Amino acid sequence: MGTKQGQGGRKPDGLGPLGVLSVCVLARLFLCLCVFLSISPAVTLSNSVFLFRLHVSASLSLLFSISGGRASVPTQRLARSGECQGRASRSRRPGGVKGPGGQTEPSEPRLLLRLRRIQIEGQRQRSAEMLPITEHMLHLLGLEKTAFRLYAVTGLLLALLFFLFRLLVQFLGLCWRFYITCRRLRCFPQPPRRNWLLGHLGMYLPNESGLQDENKVLESMHYVILVWLGPVLPLLVLMHPDYIKPLLGASAAVAPKDELFYGFLRPWLGDGLLLSKGDKWSRHRRLLTPAFHFDILKPYMKIFNQCTNIMHAKWRRLVEGSDVSLDMFEHISLMTLDTLQKCVFSYNSDYQEKMSDYISAIIELSALVVRRQYRLHHHLDFIYYRTADGRRFRQACDTVHHFTTEVIQERRRVLRQQGMEAWLKAKQGKTLDFIDVLLLARDEDGKEMSDEDIRAEADTFMFEGHDTTSSGLSWVFFNLAKYPEYQEKCREEIQEVMKNRELEELEWEDLTQLPFTTMCIKESLRKFPPVTMISRQCTEDVKLPDGRIIPKGIICLVSVYGTHYNPTVWPDAKVYNPYRFDPDNTEQRSPLAYMPFSAGPRNCIGQSFAMAEMRVAVALTLLRFRLSVDRTRKVRRKPELILRTEDGIWLKVEPLPPRA
Ligand code: HEM
């Protein structure tokens, strides 16, 4: 060969020539594979074949130069083919090629070097045309004009290949898991779908006809059904107490809430009790349970009476001398908001008469969350917060958070200033509100709650406590207006309790003296449950009583509405019959047959609060007014976050003469 040992052949420290060759060839083979897989849309098949040849030959010539010019057979062949080019170019250059110092260099290595240069140059030109992505990335990385360009291209493409390979593996894994899940779900019956693509999407709309369609399904399917939201999202809907028990009875860690249905509330409610999970939830649930002890709730009776009185004064003014009807939803939701603001923050104001920014923000937030659920493109944060709704949502969240934070900080400041003992002394004989209870709460290690945690819990109470109770109460009034015989029976009961009293005010002890009124409220919560659906996503397989398994990861909807209308549980479910809740009739029923407040470890913490508030409002209302249905206005149900109506519940309220 005639090449001097060592000329242009400095070996790298770590790898021998064969190692380098293998790495280069392997890298290039990978690169070629990338090309064959059409990573870059600019690459065609013939181009990729060319690239492959180019890469192999470049590797070989690299080896040749590293190993001091001992070219292998294929390289010699390539060199010979390159010789023609060399000769042609030499013939164009008179005097041949001179080395440094004017000596003529041996022709073969010169040819090979030139061949390599031509190959690399050709490759550069080709790749500039063919691989715009890598070219752009090289440019960005500043490697475009360096000696490592070729290797950078290889590295980048390898990284891309690796990334795509991982994606492919993940995708295949997902498909496999989906296939297995579908097989496991085959044992569950499904109502007829629209088609394979939409599944049951849009079949059970959140309106009156959607609820009636649900009732039709209940006529033939009584336990658990499978529905598809589109082609890939299966949901199991449970509507029988025996099937709900394993799910709601499971620990909060096995059946946590799912993000699909609750996630939109998070920016507003933070990690409060409704949305938190795991240890945080258990710790807070333990800390907050005493806040709903009857010792704490008892003093709130004054607030319940006071807020109901404010509402009644307004009603009297509005209906004076005329036969107008009032929208119960509107009036009662202002009343429940007023009650909660007084119980949570001790905040006195005339909100029922004049709307405040804080109250309007809460009403707006509830409406915006519902609207977001029905607009699929608003599900993505980066789109939603660029829309008018998203901006209003953020603004309303800020208003609510600002209000809550200010109250907490002010209260903490006073507590620090006065010291715990003096502060507690000053509170003696006064009503402790929820913020006080949360500020005083300590866990087993004596740790208190942070301001952020207290804010989340207070916002959660305001959200969970106002809409649900106002929906519950509005439907109770609707049912009592529709069935005057039950209304009259309740009134007699209340008049009996209030007999010989000067003050029309209900005490905590009076609540147990209203058994029939309580039965009417319970039957109303059965027929019109404020929360119609509860969702969970199991972290483990859950076994149903018939041996079928709810696969881990599936979103389960516990249909409170479906259970309350299940004909195998409630005969004549569509009939409003308060005697179902006669203590003599409840024994043979499963405790999960009736669950407006959910059940199990994550049931409603505010159940006693809500029942007390509703009983006070119903008792005082029936004592002062006669309710009747406005027949000119149709009541059509609308299940949103809570069970509303399309156009309110309009009732006629006729003031009764004052008691003798
Ligand atoms: C008629 C009135 C009410 C009804 C029908 C009701 C219903 C419910 C239901 C069904 C749940 C379970 C939600 C789920 O698992 O996804 C729940 C949870 C909750 N409710 Fe109520 N609720 C009412 C009133 C209240 C009130 C007045 C408060 C507070 C002042 C309250 C605070 C809560 C909280 C904090 C949770 C979350 C509990 C947890 O996950 O540990 N609720 N409520």
Side-chain angles (χ1 to χ4, degrees), residues 257 262 273-274 281 285 292 340 434 460-461 464-466 468-469 472 525 530-531 534-536 595-598 601-607 609-610 613-614:
K257 302 202 171 161
Y262 292 95
L273 212 50
L274 184 71
W281 172 81
R285 180 87 192 200
F292 291 90
L340 272 171
F434 279 122
T460 301
F461 290 165
E464 258 298 315
H466 96 272
T468 45
T469 316
L525 291 175
V531 180
I534 298 164
S535 74
R536 296 284 187 271
M595 44 165 192
F597 297 100
S598 182
R602 292 208 74 157
N603 69 347
C604 174
I605 200 171
Q607 175 169 351
F609 180 102
E613 184 181 0
M614 286 195 285

Side-chain angles (χ1 to χ4, degrees), residues 59-260:
S59 304
L60 293 179
S61 45
L62 179 72
L63 173 76
F64 178 76
S65 60
I66 289 169
S67 61
R70 262 178 277 118
S72 55
V73 178
T75 322
Q76 287 177 26
R77 228 180 282 137
L78 267 166
R80 267 197 293 280
S81 67
E83 210 173 343
C84 314
Q85 287 184 30
R87 266 189 211 128
S89 59
R90 247 197 334 268
S91 62
R92 262 182 263 122
R93 232 190 291 168
V97 180
K98 300 250 170 168
Q103 297 135 318
T104 312
E105 283 180 7
S107 62
E108 220 170 14
R110 246 194 355 256
L111 275 175
L112 279 171
L113 276 171
R114 186 169 172 71
L115 168 66
R116 203 177 145 225
R117 241 178 270 133
I118 290 167
Q119 284 169 336
I120 292 171
E121 223 165 75
Q123 188 187 13
R124 242 181 229 159
Q125 283 167 8
R126 293 259 169 190
S127 59
E129 289 160 19
M130 293 183 294
L131 299 167
I133 300 169
T134 40
E135 203 56 40
H136 181 65
M137 285 185 73
L138 282 175
H139 179 71
L140 282 181
L141 294 170
L143 292 170
E144 203 179 20
K145 291 197 170 67
T146 66
F148 303 109
R149 184 181 178 285
L150 200 67
Y151 299 99
V153 173
T154 309
L156 278 175
L157 287 175
L158 269 176
L160 197 61
L161 177 68
F162 177 70
F163 173 71
L164 287 177
F165 183 69
R166 263 195 63 181
L167 267 186
L168 187 72
V169 169
Q170 280 174 356
F171 177 70
L172 289 177
L174 210 69
C175 291
W176 176 248
R177 281 197 298 277
F178 179 66
Y179 168 73
I180 295 291
T181 307
C182 287
R183 276 186 49 174
R184 297 182 73 191
L185 288 174
R186 260 188 229 154
C187 56
F188 294 104
Q190 321 179 19
R193 297 196 220 186
R194 287 174 86 174
N195 53 47
W196 70 269
L197 184 66
L198 295 173
H200 300 92
L201 205 68
M203 282 182 78
Y204 302 98
L205 293 172
N207 56 26
E208 182 62 46
S209 68
L211 285 175
Q212 280 172 12
D213 289 344
E214 253 182 88
N215 282 9
K216 273 185 210 136
V217 171
L218 274 164
E219 281 165 17
S220 53
M221 299 175 180
H222 305 134
Y223 303 97
V224 50
I225 56 169
L226 176 67
V227 292
W228 287 88
L229 292 191
V232 289
L233 183 60
L235 302 175
L236 278 177
V237 184
L238 305 155
M239 52 218 183
H240 190 281
D242 297 346
Y243 287 71
I244 290 168
K245 196 171 169 188
L247 193 71
L248 290 189
S251 76
V254 171
K257 302 202 171 161
D258 79 289
E259 282 295 310
L260 184 70

Side-chain angles (χ1 to χ4, degrees), residues 414-426 439-440 442 448:
V414 175
L415 184 64
R416 257 191 230 119
Q417 222 171 38
Q418 298 184 346
M420 182 70 86
E421 267 185 34
W423 188 78
L424 279 175
K425 224 174 184 172
L439 279 168
L440 293 173
R442 300 281 182 279
E448 60 181 28

Side-chain angles (χ1 to χ4, degrees), residues 543-583:
K543 196 170 175 188
L544 294 172
D546 58 10
R548 283 182 288 178
I549 304 280
I550 299 178
K552 162 188 170 180
I554 288 290
I555 296 179
C556 296
L557 299 180
V558 175
S559 174
V560 178
Y561 177 85
T563 310
H564 287 186
Y565 279 78
N566 193 328
T568 64
V569 184
W570 298 97
D572 299 324
K574 288 180 190 161
V575 176
Y576 179 80
N577 175 11
Y579 291 102
R580 293 177 206 273
F581 290 93
D582 192 321

